[in-house]
Amino acid sequence: MITKKQLSFIDLFAGAGGLSEGFIQAGFTPVAHVEMNPYACQTLETRAAYHYLKSQGREALQSYYDYERGIITREQLFEQVPQEERESVINKEMSSKTAKSIYHKIDHLMEHKGINHVSVIIGGPPCQAYSLVGRAQTNHMLRPMEEDPRNELYKQYVNFLKRYEPEMFVFENVQGITSARNGEAFADLQRELNRIHYTFECHIQNAQTFGVMQNRKRMIIIGWRQGTEHFYPEFEQQEIHSVVWDLLSDLPQVERGGQAFEYASPYDESSAYVRAHNLRTEDDVLTLHKARIHNERDVEIYRRTINAWFINHAHQRLHYNELPDDLKTHHNQTSFVDRFKVIEADTNACHTVLAHLAKDGHYFIHPDINQCRSITVREAARLQTFPDNYYFEGNRSAQFTQIGNAVPPMMAYGIAQQIMQQLRGEQRIIAAGIINIEGNEEIPQNIYIGAAI
C-alpha cells in the first residue's frame, strides 16, 4: 500500500506553480518542476524556499518574510535552503532536444531525495495554441495557429508518462484543446496515451465548483495506468457563503500609482473566507499591492463601468459604443465592446482572471469607486486563491501573466485530495463513463462533471 509520505509528483509546464501548490498542500512531495519561463522559474524557486523554511519551523520562516520585506537579498535567502530545493526547478523548454538532459536532472533529484517512483505527473502545455480566442485571432498572427509548434507539446507530456510510469496524471488545459486542428490533436493525444497503456477521461471543470470565487472553466484530463482500478473522481460542488468583496476587504486602499505594505485590518478582522482557506496567516507580509497609473479618460470610464454594475444593483455592463465620443479612442466599436469590466464584488464568483492583465487592467477594474483603478498583483492573486505568502518574481507584467495563466491552488487542492485518496486506497470506485473523442466529434455537455450547465 502506498503511504502518504511516498506520494510524489512531477509538474510539467509548471508556470508559477498553481497546480503544484494544490498538490503540496494536499500532502504530495514535489520531485521537479519543469518550466521554460525564467520569471516563473524564479517564482517556483522562491516558493520552494518558503515550503522548506516552513518545514523547519516558524523561526526559520522569518527569513522568508525578511526577503519579502527587502531586508535580505535573494542570495541570502537561498543560503538557508538546500541546493536541491532550488535545483528542483528546471528552467528548460520541453522538446526532443532537451528531454535527455531534463530526464537526467529528474533522475538525479529522485535519487537524492530517495524517491524510487513518481506517483503522479501534473501540468498542461501552454494553452494559447488550443485557445478558442487565439484561433479567432489567428488572422492577426504572423504564423497560422495550425503551425504553432506548441500544438505538439502534448507529445512531450506523453513521453514523460512513458519514462516515469506514474499511476495517474492530471492534464489541465483550455476547453479548446478538444477541437484544436479540427480535433486531430486531441485524437492523436488519445492514441498516444492508449499506446503507452493509459486510460483517461476529460471533463470541463469550473473553479467555482472547488470553492474558488471565480467563474473559470478548464478542461481537466485525468488518466491512470491500464489495469489499475483508478477512475475519474466525482467532485462535489463546494458551497460558497461569501462574496468576492470578502477576498479584498482587508487589503488597504491604494491610489493610482501608489502602493501599500500594511493590511487595512488585523488578521482576526479579515473575512472568514480568507482565514478559512489560509489565504492570509497571522505572520504574512503584504507584498505586490501597487496600483497602475491611469489617465483621466480611463478613470472616467472606470467610474461609469463601476456605477453601471453597482448602482441600484443593476449589474449592467458598460458597452464601449455607448460612451461619449470624447472618451472613445478605439475605431473598432463592433467587437470587444465589453473591454471595460468591473470585478463583481457583490456576487460569489467574478469573471475569469486572464493573463491579459499584463497588457492592461481595463477588464479587471477594482469595485471600489473611491479607488477607481485596475486591480493590483496581490488582488489578482487573491482572486486566483494564491495565499498572500506566495511571492511572484519579475516585473509587474510578468507577475500578472504568471497569475492569469495559473490553475487556482484551491482548485488544484481539490483535485489533489481526490487523487491522493485513490492512491492510498481510501476511496471506493464511483462509476463514470469514459469520454472517447474521435476526430472533431463534440462532447455532450451533460456528461461534464462539475461544469456549470
Side-chain angles (χ1 to χ4, degrees):
M1 181 68 65
I2 298 173
T3 66
K4 182 175 181 179
K5 184 177 180 180
Q6 293 172 309
L7 295 178
S8 60
F9 71 92
I10 296 172
D11 190 0
L12 305 177
F13 311 101
L19 260 179
S20 282
E21 182 67 15
F23 272 74
I24 291 170
Q25 290 180 10
F28 284 86
T29 299
V31 175
H33 311 80
V34 184
E35 170 56 39
M36 66 176 289
N37 183 279
Y39 290 130
C41 284
Q42 290 175 24
T43 296
L44 289 166
E45 290 175 349
T46 302
R47 194 59 182 169
Y50 168 82
H51 282 299
Y52 172 78
L53 292 170
K54 182 181 178 183
S55 72
Q56 301 304 299
R58 190 172 184 178
E59 184 175 345
L61 193 56
Q62 290 306 308
S63 296
Y64 178 83
Y65 293 125
D66 286 344
Y67 169 67
E68 287 192 307
R69 290 187 177 98
I71 297 173
I72 64 173
T73 66
R74 186 173 178 82
E75 288 69 28
Q76 289 173 319
L77 171 68
F78 280 100
E79 287 175 358
Q80 304 175 57
V81 179
Q83 184 63 23
E84 61 266 20
E85 295 297 328
R86 199 169 189 176
E87 291 178 350
S88 68
V89 179
I90 302 173
N91 184 195
K92 283 184 178 291
E93 181 179 5
M94 288 180 59
S95 69
S96 56
K97 294 180 180 179
T98 62
K100 187 175 181 180
S101 65
I102 296 174
Y103 294 154
H104 178 75
K105 287 191 174 184
I106 292 176
D107 293 347
H108 173 75
L109 287 165
M110 290 178 65
E111 181 179 0
H112 188 85
K113 294 181 179 183
I115 296 173
N116 55 23
H117 175 68
V118 175
S119 309
V120 189
I121 286 181
I122 64 175
C127 64
Q128 292 89 341
Y130 306 126
S131 168
L132 298 174
V133 174
R135 274 179 268 156
Q137 298 175 339
T138 188
N139 59 335
H140 300 297
M141 299 173 62
L142 296 176
R143 177 171 52 197
M145 187 66 72
E146 290 76 11
E147 298 177 12
D148 194 322
R150 293 173 297 184
N151 279 317
E152 302 294 318
L153 287 175
Y154 66 88
K155 294 182 179 179
Q156 297 301 324
Y157 192 102
V158 171
N159 289 339
F160 274 76
L161 291 175
K162 181 179 179 181
R163 179 177 179 89
Y164 291 102
E165 298 183 328
E167 287 166 76
M168 300 186 75
F169 70 84
V170 178
F171 185 114
E172 178 270 345
N173 220 284
V174 293
Q175 299 176 57
I177 188 174
T178 59
S179 55
R181 288 164 42 198
N182 295 319
E184 294 178 9
F186 195 80
D188 187 50
L189 171 63
Q190 184 177 32
R191 285 190 293 269
E192 288 294 305
L193 289 170
N194 287 334
R195 179 178 62 81
I196 62 171
H197 309 297
Y198 278 89
T199 300
F200 75 94
E201 293 186 27
C202 64
H203 298 272
I204 291 177
Q205 302 291 349
N206 193 331
Q208 192 175 358
T209 298
F210 297 84
V212 180
M213 287 199 279
Q214 184 185 158
N215 183 23
R216 186 185 189 91
K217 294 181 181 179
R218 288 294 185 269
M219 183 68 76
I220 302 295
I221 302 171
I222 296 178
W224 52 92
R225 284 210 312 262
Q226 292 176 5
T228 65
E229 295 186 341
H230 299 312
F231 56 94
Y232 196 105
E234 183 173 341
F235 301 109
E236 295 183 4
Q237 176 79 42
Q238 300 295 314
E239 293 187 13
I240 300 175
H241 301 289
S242 301
V243 293
V244 175
W245 182 248
D246 293 325
L247 274 172
L248 309 175
S249 59
D250 63 326
L251 297 175
Q253 292 189 16
V254 289
E255 297 180 356
R256 295 180 288 278
Q259 59 184 318
F261 303 98
E262 300 292 339
Y263 290 101
S265 58
Y267 169 77
D268 291 341
E269 295 178 16
S270 57
S271 72
Y273 182 93
V274 166
R275 286 181 281 113
H277 296 293
N278 295 315
L279 299 182
R280 174 183 170 186
T281 71
E282 295 182 74
D283 297 325
D284 281 344
V285 176
L286 180 61
T287 61
L288 309 178
H289 193 48
K290 182 177 181 178
R292 282 185 168 107
I293 297 173
H294 302 294
N295 61 48
E296 286 305 314
R297 180 190 295 109
D298 286 343
V299 171
E300 177 57 30
I301 296 175
Y302 287 7
R303 288 194 185 100
R304 292 168 181 256
T305 303
I306 295 168
N307 282 333
W309 183 266
F310 290 106
I311 286 184
N312 298 324
H313 304 286
H315 287 189
Q316 296 294 314
R317 292 297 189 191
L318 183 144
H319 283 220
Y320 189 78
N321 54 15
E322 296 173 351
L323 288 171
D325 289 340
D326 63 326
L327 293 180
K328 295 177 182 176
T329 57
H330 297 275
H331 296 297
N332 183 354
Q333 297 181 27
T334 58
S335 59
F336 302 109
V337 294
D338 64 341
R339 57 171 58 94
F340 292 91
K341 214 168 211 177
V342 66
I343 298 297
E344 304 91 322
D346 56 348
T347 70
N348 61 17
C350 69
H351 56 284
T352 306
V353 174
L354 304 170
H356 185 75
L357 257 169
K359 298 181 179 179
D360 66 60
H362 300 334
Y363 210 65
F364 303 92
I365 301 169
H366 193 282
D368 182 6
I369 198 166
N370 293 318
Q371 299 182 66
C372 212
R373 58 171 175 79
S374 59
I375 61 175
T376 66
V377 169
R378 180 53 57 199
E379 288 162 343
R382 280 272 184 104
L383 294 173
Q384 279 279 65
T385 68
F386 280 99
D388 285 359
N389 49 46
Y390 211 107
Y391 189 82
F392 297 89
E393 303 286 357
N395 57 39
R396 182 166 56 197
S397 292
Q399 293 162 355
F400 274 132
T401 298
Q402 292 172 59
I403 292 168
N405 282 333
V407 176
M410 191 183 298
M411 180 182 190
Y413 175 73
I415 294 171
Q417 278 188 311
Q418 293 289 326
I419 299 296
M420 174 167 278
Q421 287 178 12
Q422 284 196 45
L423 294 178
R424 297 179 68 194
E426 296 176 351
Q427 189 179 53
R428 68 180 176 83
I429 296 176
I430 302 173
I434 296 176
I435 303 174
N436 292 311
I437 300 175
E438 297 292 345
N440 59 0
E441 181 180 338
E442 295 184 357
I443 310 174
Q445 285 196 335
N446 60 3
I447 58 176
Y448 293 172
I449 296 175
I453 305 299

